[in-house]
Amino acid sequence: MLEGYKGKALEILSSIGADIGDRIVIIKPSISIEGILMPSYSLSNDIIVIKMDNGYNIGISVKDSKVALKEKKKVKTEKLNEGEIGKSEIKIISTGGTIVSSIEYDTGAVRPALTTEEIIRFMPEIKEIGKIDAEVLFSILSENMTPEHWIAIANAIGKAFKDENIGVVVAHGTDTMSYTAAALAFSLKLPGPVVLVGSQRSSDRPSSDAAINLYSSVLLAKVGKFGEVVVNMHGESSDSYTLVHRGVKVRKMHTSRRDAFQSINDRPLAKVIWKDKKVEMLRSDYIPKKELNVDAKFDNRVFLLKYYPGLDDSFLDFLVNSKKVRGIIVEGTGLGHTSTQLVDIFRKATRDGIFVGMASQCIMGRVNMNVYTTGRLLQEAGIVPLEDMLPEVALVKLMWVLAHEQDIERIKTKMLENMVGEINPRHEIDFFPRWYHGD
Amino acid sequence: MLEGYKGKALEILSSIGADIGDRIVIIKPSISIEGILMPSYSLSNDIIVIKMDNGYNIGISVKDSKVALKEKKKVKTEKLNEGEIGKSEIKIISTGGTIVSSIEYDTGAVRPALTTEEIIRFMPEIKEIGKIDAEVLFSILSENMTPEHWIAIANAIGKAFKDENIGVVVAHGTDTMSYTAAALAFSLKLPGPVVLVGSQRSSDRPSSDAAINLYSSVLLAKVGKFGEVVVNMHGESSDSYTLVHRGVKVRKMHTSRRDAFQSINDRPLAKVIWKDKKVEMLRSDYIPKKELNVDAKFDNRVFLLKYYPGLDDSFLDFLVNSKKVRGIIVEGTGLGHTSTQLVDIFRKATRDGIFVGMASQCIMGRVNMNVYTTGRLLQEAGIVPLEDMLPEVALVKLMWVLAHEQDIERIKTKMLENMVGEINPRHEIDFFPRWYHGD
């Protein structure tokens, strides 16, 4: 299947019998470019996309070009040894993202192809941890995740534990990984670890974090003593350890660094030192293993409103009067404020039964709406201060709560109940990171 | 004037001849509470607000109460010495916020009352720096700032330089200080420093940062070699130094810490070591002093859309079809993404002449929409990647650009032009702060 191709490009590729994954060459008057045929993302009918040997994808116009097939895709498989076959201990559920494409690229596979064999060929040391079993649930970039995907992942995790796996690894794109982690955390009671893992750099780059992140996640899924949803990613810019973050207290804080994921208003749960095959717990207050329960329902009639000076009230008016929202998370300024001009609209919203909760765009710290007049006025209008919850986590929690409760007082109670550690009642001074100030 | 009072409370206070700032006592059957009468923020007709001697405000119902006047407000003034009178060198423009209320509280003044004498009484060491002149432009909490206020501040700064001051200090609430700093930075060419300063803790608390922040800002306004808009706030949790951040590269990163303001994707410009009366430059690439130019216009027909999984398209549809927006800043995930489902709506928006720019909700790092398919599709739909600009700064810049340009190509060019250092072409590894991981 020539995924994504149409028009002239499709015609040429079909005529030479090329498939995605085959090695082709495109010959132009002045240059010829060789590489692996990739699915097309282009809107144009004339573009062929190939992955060059340097790892980069390039789109090339077929105009004035001759296209030839060099080599059919090799289907390589790694034969498993006898001891590796049989009931798995660790389930790897793959949903897509750079980590999956890393494995695909390294193993020569193209698109959804994360078999157990491929994972073991990619990182043979994984075999030593325990018996793994890989499943491709879907293969999407994480910016395309929706609450429906969260439900499918939650169910797949439930099934994996019912099949007597002791831990589950979810391979996921990094863009929305923390949203998914929060959604799973609110939905699952767990008999073992659920480890979300991704990769910030694909494996065609020497600095790829795919192998270490995957290895340490499988290890953590095997030996982790906790029954909660965590994110396991590079802990610092070198390869020394990965950090295990509580799924409701983690955020992607950098667009490209390998250590982009950091615990916010919280300490990481553990470190995995992959070279020593060691999980070092940093806290003892993890959620213990419990009997499995899957309860994944989300109501996405919500909105995340980030306040800024000059915000036109009419947007908020539309939102409140649209009958399309049952809840709003306001990402306010400072301790949890917006312009007092919005107080009346918020009062109307809460009187109409819309839940309005306040988090802070500062990201770090806790909202406190008792210090300044504005906070008190907003509270009088019915806005609920959401402690130190991350705005994104508050939003996901609200989607979950709205799918489970109808009564506004019950919704408020649930939003302020510390379900899985999303509220940290006590902040320590070193939660705030240290910026370098040239000393 | 009994600001904010109405009904029963107003009646009682009038009958005893009390004014805001007077010392009163409220006697209840079981308790009597004494304090300074404050303006009311309550929606109730029965509440009197007093500041108690411990510095906290309390609202007390007049029901079953007797209210008596204890002492009229003292109007204290500090006589200035002869050498301190005459043409000022440093202008302090006060707009409100905790730093102003700190001074008011300490000096016994209540609301807009930031005279030169009061500032000197609050922090006598300021006299030694140079001749200061204070002006109350307005007195609002910064969450109530609007683009109209930005214009008033820009004009007041322009006037101060025309009056031959060599530097200007703007006392401002911390909630939206970075938005105002960006707005001023895009609006002003400056013959000297403009220093925005606030306070995270009011002066009735022993940990107040008001005095040090104000002192070091006045010093910086006097000796700063640059002609740009900066934010000067506590640099770390102790009192050793303040940090001088470029106004377009700073963000409030904590709801309550004194060192909440940090440079993002950038290094601070300078440190002020107030005890040594020393400004230590950390960089030499500051904007040099220029001839004054004030060009403050903003078009707030913009929207800041923070993307999240499950976002209902209909809100974006409303936005695009409302004819109320000329520009949208998308706070996308990761390197600058949204769900590909939104591509068509964004394409419609840009075809309708709406500018759509992409920043990242990661906050740190740079967007790069060439790495993944989604980024390329969004670019094909006309979305402009905005490098490493902070989402909030990109929004303020867009308001400024839209007020100056009509043609969409000119708007795009301006948005990508590095006007005042809002784009940092080169990131250093230590821009990313270090989280403590329990080592």
Side-chain angles (χ1 to χ4, degrees):
Chain A
M1 203 193 92
L2 289 161
E3 195 183 345
Y5 286 99
K6 48 187 188 262
K8 187 79 179 158
L10 177 63
E11 199 179 292
I12 292 174
L13 290 170
S14 303
S15 74
I16 61 166
D19 278 315
I20 304 290
D22 292 350
R23 191 169 185 85
I24 63 167
V25 59
I26 302 172
I27 302 147
K28 295 213 169 235
S30 57
I31 189 174
S32 83
I33 304 156
E34 212 178 296
I36 305 293
L37 180 63
M38 301 297 287
S40 175
Y41 54 79
S42 176
L43 297 176
S44 154
N45 289 338
D46 297 331
I47 300 293
I48 289 178
V49 181
I50 61 171
K51 186 181 278 287
M52 295 184 295
D53 293 339
N54 63 12
Y56 284 96
N57 289 359
I58 185 173
I60 303 167
S61 166
V62 295
K63 279 181 193 147
D64 306 319
S65 301
K66 202 172 155 305
V67 182
L69 181 67
K70 291 274 289 188
E71 197 177 0
K72 288 301 287 180
K73 171 183 167 188
K74 284 189 208 113
V75 182
K76 301 177 200 167
T77 51
E78 172 92 353
K79 262 273 165 279
L80 292 178
N81 299 325
E82 198 161 322
E84 295 155 25
I85 301 170
K87 217 159 171 45
S88 69
E89 298 167 289
I90 305 129
K91 182 87 177 186
I92 302 178
I93 296 169
S94 121
T95 69
T98 305
I99 190 161
V100 172
S101 58
S102 284
I103 297 169
E104 290 167 350
Y105 176 70
D106 245 46
T107 60
V110 179
R111 286 236 192 156
L114 202 60
T115 65
T116 309
E117 288 80 2
E118 276 163 349
I119 289 174
I120 288 173
R121 186 150 75 84
F122 174 68
M123 183 89 197
E125 295 89 336
I126 284 178
K127 281 198 294 195
E128 297 160 21
I129 301 172
K131 283 180 195 155
I132 63 161
D133 178 36
E135 175 197 351
V136 178
L137 188 62
F138 27 74
S139 186
I140 58 173
L141 295 166
S142 79
E143 58 269 28
N144 288 325
M145 287 278 167
T146 65
E148 285 70 41
H149 292 101
W150 300 341
I151 294 169
I153 300 170
N155 289 333
I157 292 168
K159 186 173 177 310
F161 281 113
K162 277 181 206 140
D163 291 346
E164 287 172 10
N165 287 284
I166 58 175
V168 176
V169 173
V170 179
H172 197 288
T174 58
D175 267 44
T176 68
M177 186 152 65
S178 63
Y179 293 89
T180 301
L184 296 174
F186 293 119
S187 303
L188 297 166
K189 287 194 173 55
L190 290 168
V194 168
V195 185
L196 272 75
V197 65
S199 160
Q200 284 278 80
R201 311 271 172 87
S202 61
S203 71
D204 47 332
R205 294 173 64 179
S207 62
S208 175
D209 48 350
I212 292 173
N213 288 353
L214 184 65
Y215 177 86
S216 56
S217 295
V218 173
L219 180 65
L220 186 64
K222 172 81 186 278
V223 307
K225 290 184 171 66
F226 51 85
E228 64 177 296
V229 178
V230 298
V231 165
N232 179 49
M233 292 285 289
H234 255 61
E236 32 105 68
S237 51
S238 80
D239 282 338
S240 52
Y241 59 85
T242 59
L243 280 177
V244 183
H245 307 279
R246 181 159 269 176
V248 287
K249 280 295 192 193
V250 63
R251 201 173 180 284
K252 186 174 179 178
M253 292 301 293
H254 196 279
T255 58
S256 61
R257 281 178 69 108
R258 301 187 302 171
D259 55 351
F261 283 81
Q262 295 290 342
S263 286
I264 304 293
N265 295 332
D266 207 9
R267 205 181 294 297
L269 283 175
K271 264 180 194 175
V272 186
I273 300 114
W274 72 282
K275 276 183 187 154
D276 302 342
K277 300 178 185 174
K278 208 180 89 184
V279 175
E280 184 187 316
M281 293 306 295
L282 301 174
R283 297 165 57 176
S284 55
D285 61 340
Y286 49 81
I287 300 176
K289 298 179 181 184
K290 289 180 184 163
E291 204 180 323
L292 178 71
N293 190 52
V294 181
D295 180 11
K297 287 191 287 183
F298 302 93
D299 186 337
N300 72 338
R301 285 175 287 172
V302 297
F303 194 77
L304 178 61
L305 179 73
K306 180 161 171 173
Y307 179 74
Y308 54 87
L311 174 68
D312 186 335
D313 314 0
S314 65
F315 300 127
L316 188 56
D317 256 335
F318 167 77
L319 205 61
V320 170
N321 295 316
S322 68
K323 309 279 172 213
K324 289 197 179 225
V325 290
R326 292 181 60 207
I328 300 170
I329 300 295
V330 181
E331 208 175 298
T333 59
L335 290 164
H337 303 135
T338 68
S339 161
T340 49
Q341 237 195 305
L342 302 184
V343 167
D344 287 341
I345 310 182
F346 284 129
R347 186 177 299 110
K348 179 181 185 323
T350 61
R351 285 190 181 158
D352 289 353
I354 296 173
F355 174 87
V356 186
M358 180 66 77
S360 175
Q361 59 189 251
C362 296
I363 297 168
M364 299 183 226
R366 189 186 306 279
V367 299
N368 183 345
M369 298 172 69
N370 300 316
V371 179
Y372 296 102
T373 309
T374 308
R376 290 185 290 245
L377 287 172
L378 290 168
Q379 281 193 88
E380 280 170 8
I383 296 191
V384 178
L386 296 175
E387 298 284 346
D388 71 328
M389 260 189 265
L390 286 166
E392 300 89 354
V393 171
L395 187 81
V396 172
K397 183 177 181 181
L398 183 56
M399 293 191 208
W400 189 90
V401 169
L402 290 176
H404 289 81
E405 302 288 351
Q406 293 305 314
D407 177 68
I408 186 73
E409 291 308 318
R410 294 274 309 154
I411 292 166
K412 282 186 199 170
T413 304
K414 271 283 179 200
M415 284 303 291
L416 289 174
E417 184 189 312
N418 195 3
M419 289 172 61
V420 285
E422 70 276 19
I423 296 170
N424 192 348
R426 193 161 161 266
H427 283 194
E428 284 168 52
I429 197 149
D430 58 23
F431 288 176
F432 194 63
R434 265 195 77 85
W435 271 262
Y436 174 73
H437 298 147
D439 339 66
Chain B
M1 202 192 91
L2 288 161
E3 195 184 344
Y5 286 98
K6 47 187 188 261
K8 188 77 179 157
L10 177 62
E11 198 179 292
I12 292 174
L13 290 171
S14 305
S15 74
I16 60 167
D19 278 316
I20 304 291
D22 292 351
R23 193 168 184 85
I24 63 166
V25 58
I26 302 172
I27 302 146
K28 297 215 168 233
S30 56
I31 189 174
S32 82
I33 304 157
E34 211 178 296
I36 306 292
L37 181 63
M38 301 297 287
S40 175
Y41 55 78
S42 176
L43 297 175
S44 155
N45 290 338
D46 297 332
I47 301 293
I48 290 178
V49 181
I50 61 171
K51 186 181 277 286
M52 296 183 294
D53 294 337
N54 62 13
Y56 284 95
N57 289 359
I58 186 174
I60 303 166
S61 167
V62 295
K63 279 181 193 145
D64 305 320
S65 302
K66 202 175 157 303
V67 183
L69 180 66
K70 290 275 288 188
E71 196 178 1
K72 287 301 286 180
K73 172 182 166 188
K74 286 190 207 111
V75 183
K76 302 179 200 164
T77 51
E78 172 93 354
K79 263 272 163 278
L80 292 178
N81 300 325
E82 198 161 321
E84 294 153 26
I85 299 170
K87 215 160 170 46
S88 69
E89 298 168 289
I90 305 130
K91 183 88 178 186
I92 302 178
I93 297 170
S94 123
T95 70
T98 304
I99 189 161
V100 173
S101 58
S102 284
I103 297 168
E104 291 167 350
Y105 176 69
D106 246 46
T107 60
V110 178
R111 285 232 192 159
L114 202 60
T115 65
T116 309
E117 288 80 2
E118 276 162 348
I119 288 173
I120 288 172
R121 186 148 76 84
F122 174 66
M123 183 89 196
E125 295 89 337
I126 284 179
K127 281 197 294 194
E128 295 160 22
I129 301 172
K131 283 182 196 152
I132 63 162
D133 178 36
E135 174 196 353
V136 178
L137 188 61
F138 28 74
S139 186
I140 58 173
L141 294 166
S142 79
E143 58 268 28
N144 287 326
M145 288 277 168
T146 65
E148 285 69 42
H149 293 102
W150 299 341
I151 295 168
I153 300 171
N155 290 333
I157 291 168
K159 187 173 178 309
F161 281 113
K162 277 180 207 141
D163 291 346
E164 287 173 10
N165 286 285
I166 57 176
V168 176
V169 173
V170 179
H172 195 288
T174 58
D175 267 44
T176 67
M177 186 153 65
S178 64
Y179 293 89
T180 301
L184 296 174
F186 294 119
S187 302
L188 297 167
K189 287 193 174 56
L190 290 168
V194 169
V195 185
L196 272 76
V197 65
S199 159
Q200 284 276 82
R201 311 269 173 87
S202 61
S203 71
D204 47 333
R205 294 173 63 179
S207 62
S208 175
D209 47 349
I212 291 173
N213 288 354
L214 184 65
Y215 177 87
S216 56
S217 295
V218 173
L219 180 65
L220 187 64
K222 172 81 186 277
V223 307
K225 290 184 169 65
F226 50 86
E228 63 177 297
V229 178
V230 298
V231 165
N232 179 48
M233 293 285 289
H234 255 62
E236 31 105 68
S237 51
S238 81
D239 283 338
S240 52
Y241 59 85
T242 59
L243 280 177
V244 183
H245 307 279
R246 181 160 269 178
V248 287
K249 280 296 193 192
V250 64
R251 199 172 183 285
K252 186 175 179 179
M253 292 301 292
H254 196 278
T255 59
S256 61
R257 281 178 69 108
R258 301 188 302 172
D259 56 350
F261 282 82
Q262 296 289 343
S263 287
I264 304 294
N265 294 332
D266 207 10
R267 205 181 295 297
L269 283 176
K271 262 180 197 177
V272 186
I273 300 114
W274 72 283
K275 275 184 189 154
D276 302 343
K277 300 178 185 176
K278 208 180 89 182
V279 175
E280 183 187 317
M281 292 306 294
L282 300 175
R283 297 165 57 176
S284 54
D285 61 340
Y286 49 81
I287 301 176
K289 297 179 182 185
K290 289 179 185 165
E291 203 181 322
L292 177 72
N293 189 51
V294 181
D295 180 12
K297 287 191 286 183
F298 302 93
D299 186 337
N300 73 338
R301 285 176 287 173
V302 297
F303 193 78
L304 178 61
L305 180 73
K306 179 161 172 173
Y307 179 73
Y308 55 87
L311 173 68
D312 187 337
D313 313 1
S314 66
F315 188 72
L316 187 55
D317 257 335
F318 166 76
L319 206 60
V320 170
N321 295 316
S322 67
K323 310 276 172 214
K324 290 196 179 224
V325 290
R326 292 182 59 207
I328 299 170
I329 300 295
V330 181
E331 207 176 298
T333 59
L335 290 163
H337 303 134
T338 69
S339 161
T340 49
Q341 237 194 305
L342 301 184
V343 167
D344 287 341
I345 310 181
F346 284 130
R347 186 178 298 110
K348 179 179 185 322
T350 60
R351 285 189 181 158
D352 289 353
I354 296 173
F355 174 87
V356 185
M358 180 67 76
S360 175
Q361 60 188 250
C362 295
I363 297 168
M364 300 183 224
R366 189 186 305 279
V367 298
N368 182 344
M369 298 172 69
N370 300 317
V371 179
Y372 296 102
T373 309
T374 308
R376 291 184 290 246
L377 287 172
L378 290 168
Q379 282 192 88
E380 281 169 9
I383 296 191
V384 178
L386 296 176
E387 298 284 345
D388 70 329
M389 261 188 264
L390 286 166
E392 301 89 354
V393 171
L395 187 82
V396 172
K397 183 177 182 180
L398 183 56
M399 292 191 208
W400 189 90
V401 169
L402 290 177
H404 289 82
E405 302 287 350
Q406 294 305 314
D407 177 67
I408 186 72
E409 291 308 318
R410 295 272 311 155
I411 291 166
K412 281 185 198 170
T413 304
K414 272 283 179 200
M415 285 302 290
L416 289 174
E417 185 189 311
N418 196 2
M419 289 173 60
V420 284
E422 71 276 20
I423 296 170
N424 192 348
R426 193 161 162 266
H427 283 195
E428 284 168 54
I429 196 147
D430 58 24
F431 288 176
F432 194 62
R434 265 195 78 85
W435 271 263
Y436 174 72
H437 299 147
D439 339 68

